[in-house]
């Protein structure tokens, strides 16, 4: 049975627990909605990187519009239809209440760029992102545009941000678009995430300032190393097999290297007896024409062994015929003399 004193103690305990829970919930809500603070150095660096990639694409740099930069950071923005609904800038609103969006959080059917005309701007564009826990360590950014390559040391969060934008066709079209001014704002959320918003415009109500050009880190760029050439491999020499000796008809040889004119060799015809006018056409196995160098010329040297034999045979036949003619004439003369002696008066 619960006594009055026990009930009193239970009520006090419940009240204490309720106060504790309320305090815890209030702290949790405050932590979720609060932002850690501006990221001005990173927002300024984002402008420098935007102009760097524009330079790599042969485009002019954009000047900084302080009014656009304020709206991108934490300048109050009211809904067009209800001025009581106010948001504190683009990047701060992202970091405090939710992920980036091109629509206004308190008037979700309204795109923010459509309201910039009421601020006095003409053509406008907006890009935004959140960089989860990239920190501010140094990173080397390497970017190749349509005309040049560009390298610079920058924050890790900015390197990831600009490359993410340039790899998205819709974001890239704005970065390299035909604007003349830009303003970027940055804010760090309670969980350490970086939130960025950049607003672009052509013409505007106020003046502009020169964009930043100084890198946040003084680390020298890496020296380009020459590409090593591969060691050439020796080309194997292929030796052609020796050509076999021709077995067909002799072919005409090439001109000799020795420029000395070559005399045509002659062979004296052998004297042939009258009784044997025929010479055998079969040449001696060792018979050959002699080359100018004194070497035997085999097949293919242009020399022929049949020509001397033909000449020798013709001479032999002519000699035999002449000898026969002389013998016949002598026989006829002897016969005529004998008949003259036997004429009348002879015994």
């Amino acid at each position: 049975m619960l006594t009055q004193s026990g009930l009193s103690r239970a009520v006090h305990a419940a009240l204490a627990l309720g106060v504790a829970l309320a305090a815890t919930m209030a702290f949790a809500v405050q932590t979720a909605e609060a932002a850690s603070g501006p990221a001005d150095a990173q927002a300024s660096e984002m402008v420098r990187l935007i102009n760097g990639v524009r330079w790599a694409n042969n485009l002019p740099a954009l000047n900084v519009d302080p009014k656009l930069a304020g709206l991108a950071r934490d300048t109050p923005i009211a809904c067009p239809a209800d001025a009581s609904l106010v948001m504190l800038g683009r990047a701060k609103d992202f970091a405090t209440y939710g992920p980036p969006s091109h629509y206004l959080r308190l008037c979700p059917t309204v795109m923010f760029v459509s309201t910039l005309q009421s601020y006095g701007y003409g053509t406008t564009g907006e890009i935004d992102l959140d960089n989860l826990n990239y920190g501010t360590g140094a990173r080397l950014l390497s970017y190749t545009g349509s005309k040049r390559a560009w390298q610079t040391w920058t924050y890790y969060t900015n390197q990831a941000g600009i490359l993410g934008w340039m790899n998205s066709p819709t974001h890239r079209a704005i970065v390299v678009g035909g604007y003349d001014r830009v303003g970027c704002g940055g804010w760090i959320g309670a969980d350490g995430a970086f939130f960025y918003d950049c607003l672009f415009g052509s013409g505007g109500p106020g003046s502009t300032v020169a964009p930043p050009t100084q890198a946040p880190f003084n680390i020298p760029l890496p020296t380009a190393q020459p590409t090593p050439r591969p060691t050439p491999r020796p080309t194997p020499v292929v030796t052609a097999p020796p050509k076999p000796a021709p077995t067909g008809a002799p072919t005409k040889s090439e001109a000799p290297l020795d420029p000395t004119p070559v005399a045509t060799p002659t062979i004296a015809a052998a004297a042939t007896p009258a009784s044997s006018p025929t010479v055998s056409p079969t040449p001696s196995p060792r018979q050959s024409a002699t080359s100018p160098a004194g070497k035997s010329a085999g097949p293919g040297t242009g020399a022929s062994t049949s020509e001397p034999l033909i000449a020798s045979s013709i001479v032999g036949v002519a000699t035999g015929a002449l000898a026969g003619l002389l013998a016949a004439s002598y026989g006829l003369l002897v016969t005529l003399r004998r008949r003259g002696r036997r004429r009348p008066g002879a015994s």
Side-chain angles (χ1 to χ4, degrees):
M1 184 175 179
L2 187 62
T3 64
Q4 185 175 1
S5 61
L7 179 60
S8 178
R9 285 195 299 269
V11 171
H12 283 290
L15 289 174
L17 179 60
V19 171
L21 289 175
T24 302
M25 292 177 64
F27 178 76
V29 171
Q30 182 180 5
T31 302
E33 294 183 355
S36 296
D40 292 339
Q42 290 75 26
S44 177
E45 179 65 1
M46 199 63 83
V47 172
R48 189 179 75 90
L49 298 187
I50 287 173
N51 282 328
V53 298
R54 287 178 64 88
W55 171 83
N57 288 282
N58 204 32
L59 296 171
L62 303 178
N63 288 328
V64 176
D65 187 317
K67 189 174 184 66
L68 290 178
L71 293 169
R73 181 180 185 258
D74 61 352
T75 297
I77 301 171
C79 287
D82 188 350
S84 65
L85 300 176
V86 179
M87 294 143 286
L88 298 179
R90 302 293 284 155
K92 184 176 181 179
D93 195 71
F94 299 154
T96 307
Y97 296 101
S101 172
H102 292 296
Y103 290 87
L104 292 173
R105 178 177 56 85
L106 297 181
C107 35
T109 62
V110 179
M111 293 188 70
F112 177 60
V113 290
S114 66
T115 68
L116 285 178
Q117 281 75 23
S118 63
Y119 292 90
Y121 294 96
T123 305
T124 57
E126 180 186 42
I127 56 175
D128 49 42
L129 61 82
D130 61 291
N131 257 191
L132 294 176
N133 302 317
Y134 278 105
T136 56
R139 278 300 175 97
L140 179 65
L141 169 67
S142 297
Y143 174 79
T144 301
S146 61
K147 297 295 182 181
R148 308 176 185 88
W150 183 51
Q151 277 192 324
T152 184
W153 286 96
T154 185
Y155 298 116
Y156 191 178
T157 176
N158 290 97
Q159 181 220 39
I162 191 67
L163 291 180
W165 279 336
M166 297 308 292
N167 287 329
S168 168
T170 55
H171 292 83
R172 182 184 186 279
I174 296 176
V175 173
V176 298
Y179 304 102
D180 63 4
R181 62 191 63 205
V182 66
C184 291
W187 208 273
I188 304 172
D191 59 354
F194 287 79
F195 293 83
Y196 298 102
D197 186 83
C198 292
L199 300 173
F200 298 76
S202 295
S207 60
T208 59
V209 297
T213 58
Q214 185 66 40
F217 301 100
N218 294 324
I219 304 175
L221 296 177
T223 304
Q225 299 295 328
T227 304
R229 295 183 179 180
T231 304
R233 296 182 179 180
T235 304
V237 179
V238 179
T239 304
K243 295 182 180 181
T247 56
T251 58
K252 185 177 180 181
S253 63
E254 297 180 357
L257 297 179
D258 187 353
T260 305
V262 180
T264 302
T266 56
I267 300 178
T272 305
S275 58
S276 57
T278 305
V279 178
S280 174
T282 304
S284 171
R286 296 186 179 183
Q287 186 177 5
S288 63
T290 304
S291 65
K295 296 183 180 180
S296 297
T301 60
S304 174
T305 58
S306 61
E307 295 177 0
L309 296 180
I310 294 174
S312 177
S313 298
I314 294 175
V315 172
V317 170
T319 304
L322 180 60
L325 181 59
L326 292 176
S329 300
Y330 179 76
L332 180 59
L333 181 61
V334 171
T335 301
L336 292 176
R337 285 181 179 180
R338 287 179 180 177
R339 288 181 179 180
R341 291 176 183 176
R342 292 178 182 178
R343 291 187 176 190
S347 57

